[in-house]
Amino acid sequence: MVEQSLYPNYPQDLEMVITASQVDFFYGATQALFDISLLIPAKHVTALIGPSGCGKSTFLRCLNRMNDTIPHSRVEGEISINQKDIYTPDTDVVELRKEVGMVFQKSNPFPKSIFDNVAYGPRIHGEKDPRRLAEIVEQSLQQAAIWDEVKDRLHANAMGLSGGQQQRLCIARALAVGPKILLMDEPASALDPKSTMRIEDLIGELRTNYTIVIVTHNMQQAARVSDYTAFFYEGRLIECDATPKIFTNPRQKQTEDYITGRFG
Amino acid sequence: MSRSRKQHITDKAMRLLLVGAASASVLIVCLIFLFLFKEAGPFALKPGLGKLMDSQWIPVSFQEEHFGVGPLLSGSALVTALAMLVTVPISVLVAIYIAEIARPGEREFLKPFIEILASIPSVVLGFFGLLVVAPIVKTFFGLSTGLTALTGALLLSLMAIPTIISLSEDALVSVPYALKNASLALGASHLQTIFRVTLPAALPGIVAAVMLGIGRVIGETMAVLMVTGNSAILTASPLASVRTMTATIAAEMGEVPFGSVHYQALFWIGIILLVITFFLNIIAQRVLKKYGMMK
């Protein structure tokens, strides 16, 4: 149900998997998001850009309810994934987070072996068969393009990997649960340029099977990896469109100012 | 020229002072060892160290004296093991509750109580043990006396619990949020996250806390002297009266003739205690090192 008036540059048959309508978010008395309505298409990469504190990460964390862990926080409005409201009282947060994986800004592997890191998700969801676990681990590591580097030391501690490898391991760990959607919160901002490139290549490969929402403050990165881009500013969604359109011919003056580097 | 020379001398003197201060602790440890061995030494020649292997501790007798430390060692081991059996699960669970589950208000309410428990003098706890714990143990198990290893262990638990709780809680709280978030984002529940991520990550700190707790328990004297019944018998029963190494030294040191064989035997007990705590420390440090909590 793409509303052509709002998204004139989206293909009409684009399937939308996440629907946010009129979302407000509060940290205590401070409102961080104002009336966000945004559609996110399936099996594409959507980038959320904007200056620091614009609410893009907050919005991202609303999508798998990670904000639940923050005391005194509150969400209003509606967010649906596959037409199911994820903020109803009977929402199973465990199921939601299986469906919607997350990769954090700073790589955060557990202080366990590489194997145990990737197997963590399947194990907590009840997978016990060692052969099946080994399969999942190999598959996930291959998908995250790190299998060749670690296949000979699966039982070495993950903390011994380089920063870039750790981040790809975290991506593998997220994939091992079998999500349909991957949320990435500035996944490459703490990495060197070469590792960043590998992560971006990886996002390019994953987009065929996963819906990816990526927060980035790096506009070149958004331009390189995403199909659609949403621009946030001061807690509001200013504009959302096909990425080439946003970067060449935005409709809003604020978007243009931001992407041309006039502020932010 | 002379000014820089003066500066140089001040530097040297300052350095000497600091090195001296740092060496003092090393020196003191060495002196204590030396002193213990000097006092205990002759025993190794006269009755011989084999005498410490006797199965009984009867230091004063009209027939033959026995200086077997076995019963005392087993008494200490039994009381310590029992105390840890009670202490470790309780402390770790309380630490988990305070660090991970309790709401801020509950935390503020609980913590002062635990701190007060830590500051109760052991003699006062001994009173409590004699008047409250011992009768309970006596009636509960139908014994002729409530002064048992178990009674001592329960009191020692009260002493070790606050230490282990606060150190374990520190270890749990210092587990990075990023790890907990990673686990939650993978669909783990709060409890799964606590037991599979937070607790393992905090384990080295908890082990160190337990080691410190054992150190405190094994060296504790007053409370065990008052409530364990002080019979130096070799037993593994929690409901028997036992006598620990520390209690033996404290009870007998006051009336032993200076320099006698009995006097020397008490010093051997001291040496054994020192060696035990020394190795406990080494083990604790090994564990910490292995898990990368220490350089």
Side-chain angles (χ1 to χ4, degrees):
Chain A
M1 39 161 248
V2 181
E3 283 177 54
Q4 289 295 306
S5 59
L6 276 171
Y7 299 91
N9 301 301
Y10 281 36
Q12 232 171 343
D13 56 350
L14 199 59
E15 184 201 344
M16 294 301 181
V17 62
I18 303 174
T19 325
S21 57
Q22 297 169 333
V23 174
D24 295 326
F25 185 84
F26 303 84
Y27 292 111
T30 320
Q31 189 165 1
L33 294 177
F34 298 86
D35 196 31
I36 307 281
S37 293
L38 179 63
L39 300 178
I40 291 172
K43 298 195 177 175
H44 284 82
V45 179
T46 303
L48 311 181
I49 63 167
S52 302
C54 68
K56 55 195 192 299
S57 288
T58 301
F59 179 73
L60 190 79
R61 286 200 305 268
C62 285
L63 301 181
N64 66 344
R65 293 189 51 172
M66 276 307 278
N67 286 329
D68 288 14
T69 59
I70 300 168
H72 311 298
S73 65
R74 195 169 88 244
V75 184
E76 281 170 13
E78 193 189 310
I79 298 176
S80 295
I81 291 179
N82 292 324
Q83 280 87 47
K84 250 179 75 189
D85 188 345
I86 61 167
Y87 277 94
T88 58
D90 63 329
T91 302
D92 183 349
V93 180
V94 167
E95 280 304 312
L96 171 69
R97 290 181 186 155
K98 266 171 84 174
E99 191 90 343
V100 187
M102 187 165 211
V103 177
F104 295 83
Q105 178 172 7
K106 223 178 141 280
S107 58
N108 52 1
F110 301 126
K112 302 169 186 270
S113 74
I114 293 167
F115 186 94
D116 287 342
N117 262 279
V118 183
Y120 181 84
R123 276 182 182 146
I124 55 170
H125 296 305
E127 184 59 64
K128 288 200 181 75
D129 179 14
R131 277 181 41 211
R132 180 80 194 106
L133 279 172
E135 266 171 42
I136 296 175
V137 168
E138 175 172 351
Q139 211 174 36
S140 310
L141 288 169
Q142 267 173 350
Q143 272 188 298
I146 189 180
W147 172 251
D148 290 333
E149 291 157 66
V150 300
K151 65 180 177 211
D152 300 322
R153 47 170 171 155
L154 288 178
H155 296 284
N157 196 305
M159 308 306 273
L161 298 173
S162 75
Q165 288 173 325
Q166 287 190 8
Q167 192 61 301
R168 275 178 285 143
L169 176 69
C170 291
I171 293 174
R173 185 175 63 185
L175 296 178
V177 183
K180 305 271 183 332
I181 299 167
L182 259 191
L183 309 177
M184 298 183 156
D185 191 356
E186 305 194 19
S189 67
L191 301 179
D192 60 90
K194 208 170 158 211
S195 303
T196 300
M197 209 177 78
R198 299 206 63 165
I199 300 278
E200 289 182 7
D201 290 346
L202 177 56
I203 293 170
E205 288 162 29
L206 293 173
R207 62 142 55 87
T208 44
N209 292 314
Y210 297 91
T211 302
I212 295 174
V213 187
I214 178 172
V215 162
T216 175
H217 59 220
N218 178 337
M219 277 177 287
Q220 285 76 30
Q221 186 171 66
R224 280 193 299 264
V225 303
S226 72
D227 306 299
Y228 299 92
T229 297
F231 172 59
F232 283 67
Y233 184 60
E234 291 184 339
R236 294 170 202 279
L237 175 65
I238 304 300
E239 184 171 354
C240 179
D241 214 326
T243 298
K245 177 85 169 83
I246 287 270
F247 281 94
T248 53
N249 186 18
R251 282 170 287 164
Q252 303 293 329
K253 177 86 170 57
Q254 279 167 310
T255 316
E256 188 182 339
D257 287 350
Y258 181 69
I259 58 152
T260 52
R262 237 166 275 173
F263 71 95
Chain B
M1 186 68 193
S2 88
R3 216 188 126 182
S4 84
R5 200 183 159 78
K6 211 170 148 192
Q7 188 76 50
H8 185 71
I9 291 172
T10 330
D11 272 8
K12 264 250 160 91
M14 204 59 205
R15 197 184 135 74
L16 221 66
L17 184 74
L18 294 174
V19 169
S23 326
S25 58
V26 179
L27 196 71
I28 288 170
V29 170
C30 293
L31 281 177
I32 287 176
F33 259 100
L34 216 72
F35 158 77
L36 279 177
F37 276 103
K38 183 183 149 282
E39 295 299 322
F43 189 94
L45 301 173
K46 186 60 189 317
L49 281 184
K51 204 71 174 131
L52 294 173
M53 308 294 172
D54 280 3
S55 60
Q56 286 173 297
W57 176 265
I58 308 174
V60 182
S61 165
F62 290 113
Q63 285 107 34
E64 201 199 345
E65 286 133 3
H66 290 281
F67 298 105
V69 291
L72 312 179
L73 206 61
S74 84
S76 279
L78 181 62
V79 172
T80 306
L82 282 174
M84 283 302 127
L85 223 58
V86 177
T87 307
V88 173
I90 294 181
S91 312
V92 173
L93 289 178
V94 172
I96 288 174
Y97 184 76
I98 293 179
E100 298 290 321
I101 298 171
R103 276 171 281 138
E106 295 175 312
R107 199 169 305 154
E108 300 308 304
F109 177 80
L110 274 170
K111 288 192 80 167
F113 282 96
I114 291 161
E115 276 149 26
I116 289 170
L117 193 56
S119 62
I120 298 175
S122 63
V123 178
V124 175
L125 272 179
F127 281 142
F128 172 73
L130 272 180
L131 296 176
V132 180
V133 184
I136 292 176
V137 170
K138 183 181 165 186
T139 43
F140 189 82
F141 292 100
L143 305 171
S144 57
T145 169
L147 302 180
T148 64
L150 179 67
T151 319
L154 290 175
L155 280 196
L156 290 175
S157 298
L158 286 182
M159 288 178 212
I161 280 175
T163 316
I164 302 187
I165 288 179
S166 23
L167 290 171
S168 305
E169 188 212 337
D170 287 348
L172 287 165
V173 167
S174 63
V175 172
Y177 251 92
L179 290 185
K180 301 174 192 173
N181 278 339
S183 171
L184 292 173
L186 289 166
S189 67
H190 191 179
L191 279 181
Q192 281 174 322
T193 302
I194 289 172
F195 285 102
R196 292 180 186 228
V197 173
T198 315
L199 198 57
L203 199 60
I206 293 174
V207 169
V210 171
M211 288 292 178
L212 273 173
I214 294 180
R216 163 116 209 238
V217 161
I218 214 168
E220 169 54 37
T221 309
M222 220 46 229
V224 284
L225 182 64
M226 290 167 83
V227 302
T228 53
N230 289 322
S231 60
I233 50 168
L234 198 59
T235 176
S237 162
L239 300 178
S241 288
V242 295
R243 174 191 268 198
T244 64
M245 295 190 285
T246 48
T248 306
I249 299 177
E252 296 175 8
M253 204 61 199
E255 45 209 51
V256 66
F258 180 81
S260 66
V261 173
H262 182 190
Y263 172 90
Q264 291 162 13
L266 291 179
F267 272 89
W268 275 107
I269 298 177
I271 290 173
I272 294 168
L273 260 177
L274 192 63
V275 169
I276 291 173
T277 44
F278 181 72
F279 276 106
L280 274 178
N281 257 317
I282 288 182
I283 294 168
Q285 298 201 354
R286 281 270 167 87
V287 171
L288 289 178
K289 219 181 239 171
K290 190 178 163 206
Y291 288 93
M293 300 262 299
M294 255 174 59
K295 292 278 142 53

